[in-house]
Amino acid sequence: SSVASAAPVAPTLMEDLATARMSVAQIAQRVRHRSVCSQTGDTHTPGLIRAMLATERRACVAHDAHLELTPGAALHRAQREERYRCAELIAFRWVLRCAVGDFTSLGAWTRAELCADAAAPTAMLEAAL
């Protein structure tokens, strides 16, 4: 997003989104084809992906524990945990959508749409796999 003579505009946002799209597509491909992990023997299923995302969410919350030393920390902690929970659900639904052939980028959604989508049941998407 920059050239040698110009300052970057939103320097990493597009690269981050592109990397996320590629990662989601790879995970979705593994779920769609029920690939088996050569290291663990686990079959890539929606349940495995949900569990992996939950593990990552818990790790993020634990990593942020040092932020709780400030006044009002309990409120901020609750807000951070809610954001991580929402991000986990958005990521899960993004993988499922990609696995069933919906390659809509997160950039095409508003925050409100993403949050509403994250709260929606996933049973239909999971059943399509």
Side-chain angles (χ1 to χ4, degrees):
S1 64
S2 66
V3 293
S5 62
V9 177
T12 61
L13 182 60
M14 291 310 293
E15 287 132 10
D16 289 349
L17 185 55
T19 301
R21 285 185 80 174
M22 289 184 287
S23 297
V24 164
Q26 290 171 338
I27 294 167
Q29 183 85 353
R30 294 188 66 78
V31 169
R32 183 177 181 92
H33 296 288
R34 302 281 194 222
S35 297
V36 176
C37 178
S38 61
Q39 295 174 339
T40 66
D42 292 336
T43 300
H44 287 76
T45 63
L48 177 66
I49 303 310
R50 184 186 296 269
M52 292 171 71
L53 288 168
T55 298
E56 288 301 313
R57 175 185 42 79
R58 287 189 297 271
C60 289
V61 169
H63 179 267
D64 283 356
H66 71 281
L67 299 174
E68 296 178 14
L69 302 174
T70 60
L75 174 62
H76 296 298
R77 178 180 189 215
Q79 290 171 336
R80 282 195 314 278
E81 287 183 5
E82 178 59 22
R83 280 192 178 205
Y84 287 137
R85 187 195 65 74
C86 189
E88 173 188 349
L89 295 171
I90 290 168
F92 183 63
R93 288 187 65 86
W94 195 15
V95 168
L96 292 181
R97 285 182 183 283
C98 192
V100 297
D102 179 351
F103 302 105
T104 304
S105 171
L106 287 184
W109 298 60
T110 67
R111 180 184 281 274
E113 289 170 331
L114 286 171
C115 290
D117 190 55
T122 60
M124 286 180 55
L125 285 172
E126 291 182 61
L129 297 171

